[in-house]
Amino acid sequence: MWSDRSSQPTKLSECSNGLGLRKNTHRYLRGLPLVTGNYDLVVSSSTIVTPNGRRSGQIGVRQGRIVTIHDDKDPVKASRRIEAGDRPVIPGVIDTHVHFRDPGFTHKEDFESGTRAAAAGGVTTVFDMPNVMPPTTNAAALRSHLENAAAKAVVDFGHNASAAEPDNIAELAAAGATAFKIWMMPGAGGSMKDTGGTSVTDRAVLYRIFEEVHRTGLPLYVHPHDHELYNLFANREKQRSGRDFRAYARAVRGGDSVILNTGVAVALEMQRSVGTRLHVLHVASRESARLVRAAKDLGRAVTAEANPYALFVTNDWSNIERLGPYALNVWTPERDAEALWAALDDGTIDVVASDHGPHTSEEKEVGWTDMFSAPAGTPFVEHYLRLFLTAVNAGRITLERVVELCCTNPAKLTGLEGRKGSIAPGADADLVVLDMDHEEVLAAANSHYRCGWASTEGMRTVGAPVITIRRGEVIMRDGKVDAEAGSGRLVTPCRGPWSER
Ligand code: DOR
Ligand code: ZN
Protein backbone atom coordinates (compact mmCIF):
# COMPACT_ATOMS: atom_id res chain seq x y z
CA MET A 1 0.00 0.00 0.00
CA TRP A 2 2.82 2.44 0.79
CA SER A 3 5.37 1.15 -1.65
CA ASP A 4 6.71 4.57 -2.56
CA ARG A 5 6.15 8.20 -1.71
CA SER A 6 4.22 8.99 -4.87
CA SER A 7 1.55 6.44 -4.00
CA GLN A 8 1.00 7.77 -0.50
CA PRO A 9 -2.46 9.10 0.13
CA THR A 10 -1.52 12.57 1.30
CA LYS A 11 -0.78 15.63 -0.77
CA LEU A 12 2.33 16.22 1.25
CA SER A 13 4.09 13.52 -0.69
CA GLU A 14 3.98 15.88 -3.71
CA CYS A 15 6.30 18.21 -1.92
CA SER A 16 9.77 16.94 -2.60
CA ASN A 17 12.07 19.92 -2.28
CA GLY A 18 13.46 21.19 0.98
CA LEU A 19 12.00 24.65 0.62
CA GLY A 20 8.52 23.53 -0.24
CA LEU A 21 6.66 24.24 2.97
CA ARG A 22 5.23 27.55 1.89
CA LYS A 23 4.43 26.24 -1.54
CA ASN A 24 2.69 23.36 0.04
CA THR A 25 0.39 25.70 1.96
CA HIS A 26 -0.59 27.35 -1.31
CA ARG A 27 -1.23 24.01 -2.90
CA TYR A 28 -3.50 23.25 -0.01
CA LEU A 29 -5.46 26.45 -0.35
CA ARG A 30 -5.73 26.03 -4.10
CA GLY A 31 -8.12 23.12 -3.70
CA LEU A 32 -10.47 25.03 -1.43
CA PRO A 33 -13.29 27.25 -2.66
CA LEU A 34 -12.61 30.67 -1.15
CA VAL A 35 -16.23 31.67 -0.51
CA THR A 36 -16.98 32.62 3.08
CA GLY A 37 -19.76 31.05 5.14
CA ASN A 38 -21.34 27.64 4.75
CA TYR A 39 -18.57 25.90 6.56
CA ASP A 40 -18.77 22.29 7.68
CA LEU A 41 -17.70 23.48 11.11
CA VAL A 42 -17.04 26.76 12.85
CA VAL A 43 -15.24 26.96 16.20
CA SER A 44 -15.51 30.32 17.95
CA SER A 45 -13.41 31.40 20.90
CA SER A 46 -12.10 34.54 22.57
CA THR A 47 -8.66 32.89 22.81
CA ILE A 48 -7.38 31.18 19.70
CA VAL A 49 -3.64 30.50 19.93
CA THR A 50 -2.26 31.13 16.44
CA PRO A 51 1.34 31.44 15.19
CA ASN A 52 0.85 35.22 15.41
CA GLY A 53 -0.35 35.19 18.99
CA ARG A 54 -3.74 35.02 20.70
CA ARG A 55 -6.82 36.35 19.04
CA SER A 56 -10.56 35.99 19.18
CA GLY A 57 -12.52 34.81 16.18
CA GLN A 58 -14.35 32.05 14.39
CA ILE A 59 -12.33 29.27 12.78
CA GLY A 60 -14.04 28.25 9.52
CA VAL A 61 -13.43 24.61 8.57
CA ARG A 62 -14.26 22.98 5.29
CA GLN A 63 -13.34 19.46 4.14
CA GLY A 64 -11.27 18.92 7.25
CA ARG A 65 -9.10 22.01 6.80
CA ILE A 66 -9.02 25.51 8.20
CA VAL A 67 -10.13 27.95 5.51
CA THR A 68 -9.94 31.17 7.45
CA ILE A 69 -10.33 32.79 10.87
CA HIS A 70 -13.13 35.35 10.87
CA ASP A 71 -13.18 38.48 12.99
CA ASP A 72 -16.96 38.91 12.62
CA LYS A 73 -18.97 39.25 15.78
CA ASP A 74 -22.05 37.72 14.09
CA PRO A 75 -22.02 33.96 13.80
CA VAL A 76 -20.63 32.78 10.46
CA LYS A 77 -22.85 30.24 8.70
CA ALA A 78 -21.88 26.62 9.27
CA SER A 79 -23.45 23.15 9.38
CA ARG A 80 -22.03 22.78 12.85
CA ARG A 81 -20.82 25.27 15.43
CA ILE A 82 -18.77 24.89 18.59
CA GLU A 83 -19.01 27.94 20.82
CA ALA A 84 -15.95 27.69 23.00
CA GLY A 85 -16.56 31.10 24.62
CA ASP A 86 -13.60 31.97 26.83
CA ARG A 87 -12.12 28.54 26.55
CA PRO A 88 -8.80 28.62 24.67
CA VAL A 89 -8.43 26.77 21.37
CA ILE A 90 -4.99 25.41 20.49
CA PRO A 91 -3.74 23.20 17.65
CA GLY A 92 -3.96 19.44 18.13
CA VAL A 93 -0.89 18.19 19.99
CA ILE A 94 1.68 16.27 17.93
CA ASP A 95 3.45 13.57 19.91
CA THR A 96 6.67 12.61 18.10
CA HIS A 97 7.61 9.83 20.55
CA VAL A 98 5.18 7.08 21.59
CA HIS A 99 5.67 3.34 22.13
CA PHE A 100 2.36 1.74 21.15
CA ARG A 101 3.79 -1.82 21.28
CA ASP A 102 1.95 -2.89 18.15
CA PRO A 103 2.77 -5.39 16.74
CA GLY A 104 4.38 -7.74 19.21
CA PHE A 105 3.42 -6.48 22.65
CA THR A 106 -0.24 -5.57 22.24
CA HIS A 107 -1.06 -6.83 25.73
CA LYS A 108 0.60 -3.57 26.89
CA GLU A 109 -0.96 -1.23 24.30
CA ASP A 110 -2.02 -1.38 20.68
CA PHE A 111 -2.51 1.25 18.04
CA GLU A 112 -6.18 1.60 18.84
CA SER A 113 -5.90 1.85 22.64
CA GLY A 114 -2.85 4.10 22.33
CA THR A 115 -4.48 6.49 19.87
CA ARG A 116 -7.69 6.57 21.96
CA ALA A 117 -5.59 7.66 24.92
CA ALA A 118 -3.96 10.23 22.63
CA ALA A 119 -7.34 11.64 21.52
CA ALA A 120 -8.42 11.89 25.17
CA GLY A 121 -5.25 13.85 25.86
CA GLY A 122 -5.70 16.39 23.05
CA VAL A 123 -3.15 14.64 20.82
CA THR A 124 -4.22 14.46 17.16
CA THR A 125 -1.04 13.11 15.54
CA VAL A 126 1.39 10.51 16.86
CA PHE A 127 4.69 9.07 15.67
CA ASP A 128 5.49 5.70 17.15
CA MET A 129 8.85 4.12 17.81
CA PRO A 130 10.37 1.05 16.12
CA ASN A 131 10.91 -1.19 19.16
CA VAL A 132 8.05 -3.45 18.19
CA MET A 133 8.16 -7.07 17.02
CA PRO A 134 9.22 -7.27 14.26
CA PRO A 135 11.19 -4.05 14.58
CA THR A 136 10.90 -1.78 11.54
CA THR A 137 14.40 -2.38 10.19
CA ASN A 138 13.42 -2.78 6.53
CA ALA A 139 10.84 -1.50 4.05
CA ALA A 140 8.65 -4.63 4.15
CA ALA A 141 8.39 -4.45 7.94
CA LEU A 142 7.62 -0.72 7.75
CA ARG A 143 4.89 -1.21 5.15
CA SER A 144 3.15 -3.87 7.19
CA HIS A 145 3.60 -1.73 10.32
CA LEU A 146 1.88 1.21 8.63
CA GLU A 147 -0.95 -0.95 7.29
CA ASN A 148 -1.60 -2.38 10.74
CA ALA A 149 -1.55 1.11 12.26
CA ALA A 150 -3.87 2.46 9.55
CA ALA A 151 -6.48 -0.18 10.40
CA LYS A 152 -6.53 0.79 14.09
CA ALA A 153 -5.57 4.45 14.53
CA VAL A 154 -8.12 7.03 15.64
CA VAL A 155 -5.65 9.93 15.32
CA ASP A 156 -3.26 10.67 12.45
CA PHE A 157 0.07 8.93 12.58
CA GLY A 158 3.50 8.30 11.13
CA HIS A 159 6.41 6.10 12.14
CA ASN A 160 10.01 6.59 13.25
CA ALA A 161 11.82 3.64 11.67
CA SER A 162 14.75 1.71 13.13
CA ALA A 163 18.13 2.90 11.86
CA ALA A 164 19.88 -0.23 13.17
CA GLU A 165 20.55 -1.65 9.68
CA PRO A 166 22.45 1.08 7.81
CA ASP A 167 22.03 -0.69 4.46
CA ASN A 168 18.23 -0.49 4.75
CA ILE A 169 17.95 3.19 5.62
CA ALA A 170 17.38 4.42 2.05
CA GLU A 171 14.58 1.92 1.42
CA LEU A 172 12.92 2.81 4.72
CA ALA A 173 12.94 6.50 3.79
CA ALA A 174 11.38 5.68 0.43
CA ALA A 175 8.73 3.54 2.14
CA GLY A 176 7.48 6.47 4.24
CA ALA A 177 9.53 6.74 7.45
CA THR A 178 9.04 10.08 9.15
CA ALA A 179 12.40 9.91 10.91
CA PHE A 180 14.91 7.34 12.16
CA LYS A 181 15.48 6.21 15.73
CA ILE A 182 18.48 4.55 17.31
CA TRP A 183 19.25 3.58 20.91
CA MET A 184 22.95 3.80 21.87
CA MET A 185 22.86 0.56 23.82
CA PRO A 186 22.76 -3.22 23.38
CA GLY A 187 19.45 -4.74 22.30
CA ALA A 188 16.65 -6.29 24.29
CA GLY A 189 16.81 -6.90 28.00
CA GLY A 190 17.20 -5.09 31.32
CA SER A 191 15.51 -1.79 31.83
CA MET A 192 15.41 -1.04 28.11
CA LYS A 193 13.36 -4.13 27.36
CA ASP A 194 12.00 -4.74 23.89
CA THR A 195 14.65 -2.73 22.06
CA GLY A 196 16.11 -5.63 20.04
CA GLY A 197 16.69 -4.59 16.39
CA THR A 198 16.72 -0.92 17.25
CA SER A 199 19.96 -0.47 19.16
CA VAL A 200 23.67 -0.12 18.51
CA THR A 201 26.81 0.14 20.63
CA ASP A 202 29.49 -0.09 17.90
CA ARG A 203 30.56 3.46 17.08
CA ALA A 204 31.59 2.56 13.52
CA VAL A 205 28.08 1.26 12.85
CA LEU A 206 26.62 4.35 14.52
CA TYR A 207 28.74 6.56 12.25
CA ARG A 208 27.46 4.71 9.18
CA ILE A 209 23.92 5.25 10.47
CA PHE A 210 24.58 9.00 10.66
CA GLU A 211 25.89 8.92 7.08
CA GLU A 212 22.99 6.94 5.65
CA VAL A 213 20.32 8.96 7.45
CA HIS A 214 22.02 12.17 6.26
CA ARG A 215 21.54 11.02 2.66
CA THR A 216 17.79 10.72 3.22
CA GLY A 217 17.44 14.27 4.60
CA LEU A 218 15.32 12.91 7.44
CA PRO A 219 16.15 13.51 11.09
CA LEU A 220 17.90 10.92 13.23
CA TYR A 221 16.44 10.63 16.73
CA VAL A 222 19.09 9.38 19.13
CA HIS A 223 18.54 7.95 22.60
CA PRO A 224 21.84 9.05 24.16
CA HIS A 225 23.60 6.59 26.41
CA ASP A 226 27.03 5.09 27.14
CA HIS A 227 26.63 1.46 28.07
CA GLU A 228 30.11 0.84 29.45
CA LEU A 229 29.69 3.71 31.87
CA TYR A 230 26.20 2.46 32.70
CA ASN A 231 27.67 -0.94 33.60
CA LEU A 232 30.32 0.70 35.80
CA PHE A 233 27.78 2.69 37.82
CA ALA A 234 25.19 -0.10 37.87
CA ASN A 235 27.76 -2.52 39.31
CA ARG A 236 28.92 0.00 41.90
CA GLU A 237 25.33 0.64 43.05
CA LYS A 238 24.49 -3.06 43.14
CA GLN A 239 27.50 -3.68 45.39
CA ARG A 240 26.84 -0.71 47.60
CA SER A 241 23.08 -0.81 48.01
CA GLY A 242 21.50 -3.67 46.07
CA ARG A 243 19.17 -3.73 43.11
CA ASP A 244 16.02 -1.89 44.14
CA PHE A 245 14.41 1.08 42.36
CA ARG A 246 16.41 3.59 44.43
CA ALA A 247 19.72 1.96 43.50
CA TYR A 248 18.72 1.95 39.83
CA ALA A 249 17.63 5.60 39.93
CA ARG A 250 21.00 6.61 41.39
CA ALA A 251 23.02 4.36 39.04
CA VAL A 252 21.53 5.96 35.92
CA ARG A 253 22.61 9.35 37.31
CA GLY A 254 26.04 8.06 38.35
CA GLY A 255 28.98 10.43 37.87
CA ASP A 256 26.65 13.43 37.66
CA SER A 257 24.86 12.09 34.55
CA VAL A 258 28.04 11.02 32.73
CA ILE A 259 26.15 8.11 31.09
CA LEU A 260 23.63 10.41 29.44
CA ASN A 261 26.05 13.27 28.76
CA THR A 262 28.66 11.05 27.08
CA GLY A 263 25.92 9.74 24.76
CA VAL A 264 24.90 13.29 23.90
CA ALA A 265 28.52 14.34 23.29
CA VAL A 266 29.18 11.37 20.97
CA ALA A 267 25.97 11.98 19.00
CA LEU A 268 26.72 15.68 18.66
CA GLU A 269 30.25 14.98 17.44
CA MET A 270 28.96 12.53 14.80
CA GLN A 271 26.43 15.16 13.74
CA ARG A 272 29.23 17.74 13.39
CA SER A 273 31.34 15.35 11.36
CA VAL A 274 28.58 14.12 9.03
CA GLY A 275 26.01 16.92 9.00
CA THR A 276 23.00 14.71 9.76
CA ARG A 277 19.89 16.37 11.17
CA LEU A 278 20.12 15.18 14.76
CA HIS A 279 17.25 15.17 17.24
CA VAL A 280 18.57 14.48 20.74
CA LEU A 281 16.00 12.59 22.80
CA HIS A 282 15.51 12.65 26.58
CA VAL A 283 17.59 15.72 27.40
CA ALA A 284 17.48 15.78 31.20
CA SER A 285 20.68 17.15 32.67
CA ARG A 286 22.47 20.49 32.99
CA GLU A 287 25.42 19.34 30.94
CA SER A 288 23.33 17.74 28.17
CA ALA A 289 21.38 20.97 27.84
CA ARG A 290 24.63 22.95 27.70
CA LEU A 291 26.09 20.70 25.00
CA VAL A 292 22.94 20.96 22.89
CA ARG A 293 22.81 24.74 23.35
CA ALA A 294 26.45 25.10 22.26
CA ALA A 295 25.83 23.07 19.10
CA LYS A 296 22.72 25.07 18.27
CA ASP A 297 24.59 28.33 18.84
CA LEU A 298 27.00 27.23 16.12
CA GLY A 299 24.05 26.85 13.75
CA ARG A 300 24.24 23.08 13.59
CA ALA A 301 21.26 20.98 12.50
CA VAL A 302 20.38 19.90 16.02
CA THR A 303 17.07 19.83 17.86
CA ALA A 304 16.24 18.45 21.26
CA GLU A 305 13.44 16.72 23.15
CA ALA A 306 12.39 16.79 26.78
CA ASN A 307 9.87 14.43 28.36
CA PRO A 308 7.04 15.09 30.80
CA TYR A 309 8.28 12.65 33.45
CA ALA A 310 11.52 14.59 33.86
CA LEU A 311 9.58 17.84 34.22
CA PHE A 312 6.69 16.73 36.41
CA VAL A 313 7.26 13.35 38.09
CA THR A 314 10.81 12.09 38.45
CA ASN A 315 12.08 15.58 39.34
CA ASP A 316 10.65 14.97 42.82
CA TRP A 317 12.27 12.13 44.81
CA SER A 318 9.12 11.75 46.90
CA ASN A 319 7.27 10.56 43.75
CA ILE A 320 9.97 7.92 43.29
CA GLU A 321 9.58 6.81 46.93
CA ARG A 322 5.77 6.72 46.55
CA LEU A 323 5.54 5.00 43.14
CA GLY A 324 8.83 3.09 43.03
CA PRO A 325 9.22 1.37 39.66
CA TYR A 326 5.97 2.91 38.42
CA ALA A 327 7.70 6.32 38.45
CA LEU A 328 10.89 5.13 36.64
CA ASN A 329 12.11 6.08 33.88
CA VAL A 330 15.02 8.19 34.97
CA TRP A 331 15.38 10.19 38.12
CA THR A 332 15.99 13.89 37.45
CA PRO A 333 17.80 15.51 40.39
CA GLU A 334 16.56 18.94 41.35
CA ARG A 335 19.29 21.07 39.80
CA ASP A 336 19.06 19.14 36.53
CA ALA A 337 15.29 19.59 36.52
CA GLU A 338 15.77 23.33 37.04
CA ALA A 339 18.21 23.44 34.14
CA LEU A 340 15.74 21.50 32.03
CA TRP A 341 12.97 24.02 32.69
CA ALA A 342 15.42 26.81 31.83
CA ALA A 343 16.26 24.97 28.59
CA LEU A 344 12.54 24.79 27.78
CA ASP A 345 12.25 28.51 28.35
CA ASP A 346 15.30 29.60 26.36
CA GLY A 347 14.64 27.47 23.28
CA THR A 348 17.38 24.87 23.82
CA ILE A 349 14.60 22.28 23.96
CA ASP A 350 12.48 22.40 20.82
CA VAL A 351 9.99 19.61 21.42
CA VAL A 352 8.25 17.94 24.31
CA ALA A 353 7.09 14.41 23.53
CA SER A 354 5.46 11.93 25.87
CA ASP A 355 7.79 8.91 25.45
CA HIS A 356 4.58 7.02 26.27
CA GLY A 357 6.00 3.65 27.36
CA PRO A 358 3.50 1.26 28.91
CA HIS A 359 4.58 -2.09 30.39
CA THR A 360 2.60 -4.65 32.39
CA SER A 361 2.31 -4.20 36.13
CA GLU A 362 3.86 -7.68 36.55
CA GLU A 363 6.98 -6.40 34.77
CA LYS A 364 6.99 -3.21 36.85
CA GLU A 365 6.40 -4.97 40.20
CA VAL A 366 9.81 -6.67 39.86
CA GLY A 367 11.34 -3.20 40.10
CA TRP A 368 10.55 -2.74 43.80
CA THR A 369 13.37 -5.17 44.54
CA ASP A 370 15.19 -5.40 41.17
CA MET A 371 14.76 -2.37 38.95
CA PHE A 372 17.79 -3.45 36.93
CA SER A 373 15.63 -6.20 35.44
CA ALA A 374 12.38 -4.23 35.17
CA PRO A 375 11.46 -2.08 32.16
CA ALA A 376 11.82 1.70 32.43
CA GLY A 377 8.90 3.01 30.33
CA THR A 378 5.96 4.99 31.72
CA PRO A 379 2.66 5.95 30.01
CA PHE A 380 2.03 9.67 29.42
CA VAL A 381 0.22 10.32 26.15
CA GLU A 382 -3.16 11.00 27.79
CA HIS A 383 -1.92 13.13 30.68
CA TYR A 384 0.97 15.31 29.55
CA LEU A 385 -1.06 18.17 28.13
CA ARG A 386 -2.96 18.31 31.45
CA LEU A 387 0.34 18.58 33.32
CA PHE A 388 1.44 21.45 31.09
CA LEU A 389 -1.90 23.26 31.47
CA THR A 390 -1.49 22.97 35.22
CA ALA A 391 1.97 24.55 34.86
CA VAL A 392 0.41 27.33 32.75
CA ASN A 393 -2.12 27.98 35.51
CA ALA A 394 0.72 28.06 38.04
CA GLY A 395 2.52 30.69 35.94
CA ARG A 396 5.44 28.35 35.23
CA ILE A 397 5.15 28.52 31.40
CA THR A 398 2.94 30.33 28.90
CA LEU A 399 0.27 28.63 26.84
CA GLU A 400 1.99 29.99 23.73
CA ARG A 401 5.25 28.24 24.65
CA VAL A 402 3.37 25.00 25.35
CA VAL A 403 1.89 25.25 21.85
CA GLU A 404 5.36 25.76 20.36
CA LEU A 405 6.82 22.79 22.24
CA CYS A 406 3.91 20.40 21.76
CA CYS A 407 2.41 21.46 18.40
CA THR A 408 4.35 23.89 16.20
CA ASN A 409 7.89 22.59 16.63
CA PRO A 410 6.88 18.91 16.39
CA ALA A 411 5.23 19.80 13.06
CA LYS A 412 8.49 21.36 11.84
CA LEU A 413 10.52 18.41 13.02
CA THR A 414 8.29 15.92 11.21
CA GLY A 415 8.04 17.91 7.99
CA LEU A 416 4.40 18.87 8.55
CA GLU A 417 4.75 22.63 8.94
CA GLY A 418 1.84 24.33 7.23
CA ARG A 419 -0.15 21.14 7.39
CA LYS A 420 -0.36 20.48 11.13
CA GLY A 421 0.60 22.05 14.44
CA SER A 422 -0.79 25.55 13.88
CA ILE A 423 -4.16 27.24 13.60
CA ALA A 424 -3.77 28.92 10.22
CA PRO A 425 -5.51 28.86 6.84
CA GLY A 426 -4.61 25.77 4.86
CA ALA A 427 -3.75 23.62 7.87
CA ASP A 428 -5.68 20.54 8.87
CA ALA A 429 -8.44 21.43 11.33
CA ASP A 430 -6.79 19.64 14.26
CA LEU A 431 -8.04 21.67 17.20
CA VAL A 432 -8.30 21.28 20.94
CA VAL A 433 -10.68 23.20 23.17
CA LEU A 434 -9.30 23.66 26.69
CA ASP A 435 -11.04 24.16 29.99
CA MET A 436 -8.39 25.90 32.06
CA ASP A 437 -10.45 25.52 35.25
CA HIS A 438 -11.07 21.80 34.97
CA GLU A 439 -9.76 20.09 38.13
CA GLU A 440 -8.84 16.45 38.21
CA VAL A 441 -6.98 13.87 40.24
CA LEU A 442 -5.29 11.76 37.60
CA ALA A 443 -6.00 8.04 37.75
CA ALA A 444 -5.08 5.21 35.42
CA ALA A 445 -8.53 3.72 36.05
CA ASN A 446 -10.11 6.73 34.30
CA SER A 447 -7.65 6.65 31.42
CA HIS A 448 -7.55 4.74 28.15
CA TYR A 449 -4.23 3.09 28.99
CA ARG A 450 -4.28 -0.66 28.55
CA CYS A 451 -1.54 -1.25 31.12
CA GLY A 452 -3.80 -0.18 34.01
CA TRP A 453 -1.32 2.06 35.87
CA ALA A 454 0.26 5.47 35.44
CA SER A 455 3.08 7.37 37.08
CA THR A 456 0.77 10.38 37.12
CA GLU A 457 -1.54 8.48 39.51
CA GLY A 458 -2.89 10.77 42.21
CA MET A 459 -1.51 13.99 40.73
CA ARG A 460 -3.82 17.00 40.85
CA THR A 461 -4.22 18.90 37.61
CA VAL A 462 -6.01 22.13 36.78
CA GLY A 463 -6.74 22.50 33.06
CA ALA A 464 -7.73 19.83 30.56
CA PRO A 465 -8.57 19.28 26.91
CA VAL A 466 -12.36 18.99 26.72
CA ILE A 467 -12.89 18.71 22.96
CA THR A 468 -10.46 17.17 20.47
CA ILE A 469 -11.10 17.81 16.78
CA ARG A 470 -9.19 15.83 14.14
CA ARG A 471 -9.46 17.15 10.58
CA GLY A 472 -12.76 18.82 11.41
CA GLU A 473 -14.28 15.82 13.25
CA VAL A 474 -14.97 15.89 16.96
CA ILE A 475 -13.27 12.74 18.24
CA MET A 476 -13.32 13.50 21.98
CA ARG A 477 -15.73 15.43 24.13
CA ASP A 478 -15.50 15.65 27.93
CA GLY A 479 -13.14 12.72 28.08
CA LYS A 480 -15.28 10.44 25.91
CA VAL A 481 -13.53 9.32 22.74
CA ASP A 482 -15.85 8.71 19.83
CA ALA A 483 -13.96 7.73 16.71
CA GLU A 484 -13.75 4.67 14.53
CA ALA A 485 -10.68 2.49 14.48
CA GLY A 486 -8.97 3.20 11.16
CA SER A 487 -10.19 6.80 10.90
CA GLY A 488 -6.68 8.13 11.67
CA ARG A 489 -4.58 8.72 8.56
CA LEU A 490 -0.95 8.25 7.70
CA VAL A 491 0.87 11.54 7.36
CA THR A 492 4.12 11.68 5.48
CA PRO A 493 6.73 14.41 5.75
CA CYS A 494 7.32 17.30 3.45
CA ARG A 495 10.95 18.01 4.19
CA GLY A 496 11.70 21.47 5.39
CA PRO A 497 15.14 22.77 6.27
CA TRP A 498 14.77 22.71 10.05
CA SER A 499 18.32 23.94 10.47
CA GLU A 500 17.52 27.05 8.42
CA ARG A 501 14.34 27.86 10.25
O1 DOR B 1 12.04 4.62 29.21
C1 DOR B 1 12.06 4.13 28.11
N1 DOR B 1 11.11 3.30 27.71
N2 DOR B 1 13.07 4.44 27.28
C2 DOR B 1 13.20 3.82 26.11
O2 DOR B 1 14.06 4.19 25.37
C3 DOR B 1 12.31 2.72 25.75
C4 DOR B 1 11.02 2.92 26.36
C5 DOR B 1 10.07 1.77 26.24
O3 DOR B 1 10.04 1.14 25.19
O4 DOR B 1 9.32 1.57 27.18
ZN1 ZN C 1 11.07 6.19 24.07
Side-chain angles (χ1 to χ4, degrees):
M1 191 173 173
W2 288 284
S3 55
D4 61 51
R5 278 174 188 256
S6 60
S7 69
Q8 287 157 14
T10 69
K11 289 202 167 182
L12 283 172
S13 56
E14 292 168 22
C15 177
S16 56
N17 75 46
L19 290 164
L21 295 174
R22 208 155 294 208
K23 264 199 221 152
N24 186 53
T25 309
H26 291 311
R27 186 175 289 134
Y28 252 68
L29 285 171
R30 215 179 288 149
L32 296 175
L34 277 172
V35 290
T36 58
N38 295 322
Y39 294 106
D40 302 333
L41 172 71
V42 161
V43 182
S44 72
S45 164
S46 68
T47 313
I48 300 169
V49 182
T50 77
N52 305 318
R54 292 177 186 220
R55 55 165 295 178
S56 66
Q58 303 181 51
I59 306 166
V61 175
R62 198 177 293 128
Q63 294 168 25
R65 289 191 232 146
I66 299 168
V67 179
T68 191
I69 308 175
H70 289 272
D71 284 321
D72 314 37
K73 295 276 172 289
D74 298 331
V76 175
K77 257 205 197 153
S79 316
R80 199 158 175 213
R81 294 187 58 84
I82 293 175
E83 313 287 354
D86 289 340
R87 292 177 172 190
V89 179
I90 64 167
V93 169
I94 300 173
D95 192 345
T96 53
H97 188 159
V98 296
H99 299 271
F100 281 167
R101 313 289 186 216
D102 190 352
F105 311 97
T106 51
H107 57 293
K108 304 185 191 190
E109 198 77 280
D110 69 15
F111 234 89
E112 185 173 347
S113 60
T115 52
R116 281 188 190 286
V123 176
T124 51
T125 309
V126 293
F127 296 88
D128 72 313
M129 287 297 182
N131 57 332
V132 287
M133 201 49 72
T136 51
T137 49
N138 58 61
L142 175 58
R143 273 186 221 113
S144 82
H145 185 86
L146 294 175
E147 285 192 32
N148 175 57
K152 297 177 182 174
V154 308
V155 302
D156 291 349
F157 66 94
H159 181 73
N160 306 315
S162 169
E165 302 285 344
D167 293 340
N168 297 344
I169 283 171
E171 70 175 46
L172 282 161
T178 300
F180 288 91
K181 163 83 182 270
I182 197 74
W183 277 261
M184 293 172 71
M185 56 186 58
S191 58
M192 289 299 147
K193 228 177 157 83
D194 310 338
T195 54
T198 55
S199 310
V200 67
T201 46
D202 184 312
R203 295 222 174 131
V205 178
L206 184 61
Y207 194 85
R208 284 203 56 222
I209 289 169
F210 270 78
E211 289 177 327
E212 289 300 324
V213 174
H214 185 40
R215 285 194 189 106
T216 71
L218 294 172
L220 178 60
Y221 296 6
V222 173
H223 179 122
H225 180 83
D226 186 301
H227 208 66
E228 283 156 4
L229 291 173
Y230 168 78
N231 284 337
L232 173 71
F233 286 99
N235 289 335
R236 280 187 188 166
E237 267 306 330
K238 286 176 197 168
Q239 274 163 17
R240 193 180 300 151
S241 61
R243 304 181 63 103
D244 76 355
F245 62 95
R246 297 181 193 91
Y248 173 83
R250 283 193 297 265
V252 170
R253 286 290 177 175
D256 192 15
S257 304
V258 70
I259 299 163
L260 168 67
N261 298 339
T262 303
V264 172
V266 168
L268 285 171
E269 173 53 14
M270 292 205 183
Q271 187 288 327
R272 187 199 62 79
S273 172
V274 180
T276 321
R277 291 180 56 191
L278 169 66
H279 184 53
V280 184
L281 303 176
H282 311 304
V283 172
S285 74
R286 310 180 311 286
E287 179 62 8
S288 290
R290 194 193 65 75
L291 290 168
V292 166
R293 192 176 299 124
K296 291 175 80 164
D297 285 348
L298 292 170
R300 304 234 301 268
V302 173
T303 54
E305 175 199 87
N307 309 109
Y309 43 82
L311 296 163
F312 298 109
V313 179
T314 57
N315 56 332
D316 181 344
W317 185 262
S318 72
N319 286 330
I320 294 174
E321 287 292 339
R322 181 169 62 92
L323 297 159
Y326 294 98
L328 298 171
N329 267 316
V330 290
W331 168 42
T332 310
E334 211 173 306
R335 40 189 198 144
D336 290 300
E338 276 166 20
L340 190 56
W341 275 102
L344 277 195
D345 294 339
D346 72 13
T348 303
I349 302 293
D350 302 275
V351 167
V352 170
S354 71
D355 194 14
H356 177 77
H359 294 277
T360 65
S361 39
E362 289 74 27
E363 288 170 312
K364 279 292 192 185
E365 276 299 309
V366 174
W368 289 108
T369 48
D370 184 8
M371 189 66 210
F372 292 89
S373 314
T378 46
F380 267 92
V381 73
E382 188 162 339
H383 291 160
Y384 77 113
L385 178 59
R386 284 168 170 82
L387 297 172
F388 268 109
L389 298 179
T390 307
V392 169
N393 275 321
R396 182 65 198 77
I397 189 168
T398 65
L399 186 56
E400 285 80 353
R401 183 69 184 140
V402 172
V403 167
E404 278 171 11
L405 290 163
C406 298
C407 313
T408 326
N409 289 348
K412 290 178 184 168
L413 175 66
T414 54
L416 296 173
E417 190 180 23
R419 173 79 187 270
K420 289 190 177 290
S422 57
I423 302 181
D428 282 351
D430 295 338
L431 304 168
V432 184
V433 180
L434 307 175
D435 178 351
M436 294 304 290
D437 300 320
H438 184 96
E439 291 188 30
E440 224 170 302
V441 177
L442 299 180
N446 302 332
S447 77
H448 294 75
Y449 300 151
R450 179 163 290 170
C451 64
W453 57 272
S455 41
T456 46
E457 189 76 31
M459 292 183 78
R460 289 178 184 280
T461 52
V462 185
V466 286
I467 299 177
T468 304
I469 299 167
R470 181 215 58 206
R471 284 179 281 104
E473 305 276 334
V474 173
I475 57 168
M476 184 280 282
R477 196 183 271 273
D478 296 328
K480 218 177 142 291
V481 177
D482 186 8
E484 254 178 59
S487 57
R489 278 195 204 148
L490 173 68
V491 286
T492 48
C494 169
R495 278 297 117 211
W498 173 262
S499 56
E500 293 166 24
R501 137 199 67 123

